[in-house]
Amino acid sequence: MDAGEQTLALTSNGGLPMVIYWGARLPDDEDLAQLAASARHDLTGGMIDQLPALTLSPESGRAFAGQPGLICAEADGTPLHPVFSFDRAEHSACSLSLICSAMGLTLAHRITAQPTGVFTLQTVLEADRDIRLHWLAAPVLPAPQAADTMIDLHGRWVREFHLNHVPWAPGIRMREARTGRSGHEHPPYLILPETGCTNTSGSAFALHYAWSGGHRMVAEELPDGRRQVQFGATTGAETQAKRRFETAELVALHSTIGLNGIAAAFQRDTRDRVVKWPNPARPRPVHYNCWEAIYFDHSLADLSDIADRAAALGAERFVLDDGWFGRRDDDTTSLGDWTIDRTKWPDGLQPLIAHVKSLGMTFGLWFEPEMVNPDSDLFRAHPDWMLGPVDQVTGRHQLVLDLSKPQVRDYLFDAVSAILAGHDIDYIKWDHNRLLPVVDAAQSHGAYDLFDRLRAAHPGVEIESCASGGGRIDAGILARTHRVWLSDCIDAEERLRMQHDAALFLPSCVTGSHVGALHSHTTGRALPMAFRAWVAAQRHFGFEMDPRKISGADAAVLSEVTAWYKANRVWMMAGTILRLDSADPTVTSEMQLAADGGRFVLFAGQNAQTVQILPRPLRLTGLDPAALYRITLRNAGDAPPQSRGPNALKNGPLTLSGRALMGQGILLPVAWPATMWVVEGERL
Ligand code: DGJ
């Protein structure tokens, strides 16, 4: 199978199929029988007389020395060790199902070559009786052996998307998200770079498990040196004996052009396949979100004043965050009571919405549907609707509603739907602020069902996935939402790094980024407005500070950057973020390249004091070596007083070939920490 620039080739020797090739696209006339032959290994001492195959689901019943891809048992707990026979292949133009059976079990591996250039893979297990499932891996793929490290992700509240470079070694690298959501801790992504891979060159593979309920990943080097990677739902997530189980989709891709090939394919796949846009042609509107301005302290007069100022700065969508419902004066009460708080909003939300609309903005509203506070009318009426043990510890003073119960989903659908139907709302910020008390796939299926019903009933409404910032970011949730709140940290210095690393997986158009207050509410750091604004303008742009508290000079800078975002967002959001290999670790830099290659913008963020006196050249990427480009430094005025030399870009555009720009690079002026250079490029 070919998807974009990659090929996946499989064979079966009468049992479960196995991958014999995964990598750069092969010529159409490649001899597949020869390819299969070339994949056969030798044997030596210390091995059994036939090498147990690394199949799409390695089998414990065949003495496979590593982790099996399927662990199941009879309903009474008796372990099953099926040895599957290959039954048949079913295929259409771009998808293939490989079906095997044993002991009354049918195991199907489905592979689809997506037009976006990725493969999606899924495993489905069916039985002729109820069985128990302990572990089911999505189709298992071999990992490269010409590789020293793998890159996986961890993070925490206010520091999401941190890249771990983990050395390969015999044995297992196992990660498991046991908090009931894809999570800050273990986002379900993995990159497998081959030795020497950089952002701009070399070979790399990548995998993403499209599931919001928590996953388990096993990257294993077997005793014989082969390597495998398995992704599936968290162990124990299937709590009931059943006849049918399926994994989520595993997204798989290979790049021959470094990590940027991975980034480009993930960005394209998310934007063009995964997300279902209500109106794809609508430019991503500039947001104003009031959370860090007023928290729970709602008043029509204050919010109208804030809305006036946000609109004057260029906002196009006004989002009313937490605090509008029940008796929600802090985070201890009212989740579950989705009725407007008449003490704060005596005439309901209509007056604010009317005011926002009169300013030319649309209106968005915060919900946290899956949660309930013990101090709520809902909990008092239905204490049995909570998920998990009765004596559990609360998280942010809240409990989780059991979304496997249809009556709970019906209640939530009706409550949220009534607010949407009764008001002119085009956006939900959908939050999820606590770790789940138990692991249960039924909870995530229930949440997906609720999202799907609300989307079907209100197809024009966009949804943002927020979970204390970036705690639920994956292709499962993005199939139902349109934006992710990457982090509660909008300190631009932190956000610059976070956005840079998240760009390996997420396109600009779904990655929310807001301009915060002068002093960050999560780090205390003070940063200049130009830096805060340019960092936010790299992604889906918005404001979250109190506009009553910004100076005239800062308002002018913010208005200018907002106007720039509006003038450039359409081509930027349809383009590709390419990470640059900066020779200076204090410079975090990327290019955003238009889909037709005709223009680009380069962002170079100086996030700390550099150690050498002069900036090192920054090499561009993704350009046509033979073409000429005019490059212009957009914000030469941000140069510090100590910048006193004849740096050409400070004084006007330069015209250089793609070869010069990519080979030698460009020299930017010296910069203070917390400066973002913005260089616009146009192909001549
Ligand atoms: C956590 C979110 O990440 C914040 O942006 C904000 O919406 C609060 N919840 C509201 O309680």
Side-chain angles (χ1 to χ4, degrees), residues 510-549:
V510 305
T511 310
S513 194
H514 294 173
V515 179
L518 169 63
H519 289 97
S520 162
H521 290 202
T522 52
T523 65
R525 205 180 264 139
L527 293 167
M529 175 56 88
F531 188 61
R532 282 179 278 151
W534 282 119
V535 169
Q538 289 185 295
R539 301 291 185 267
H540 182 193
F541 185 60
F543 321 140
E544 193 160 333
M545 72 290 151
D546 188 337
R548 298 170 299 185
K549 296 183 182 158

Side-chain angles (χ1 to χ4, degrees), residues 157 289 291 296 321-322 328 366 368 396 429 431 433 466-469 485 488 544:
W157 177 69
N289 182 297
W291 177 242
F296 297 99
D321 211 283
D322 194 356
R328 182 87 166 163
W366 183 94
E368 193 175 3
R396 206 194 189 205
K429 178 177 178 182
D431 216 335
N433 282 305
C466 173
S468 303
W485 187 226
D488 276 354
E544 193 160 333

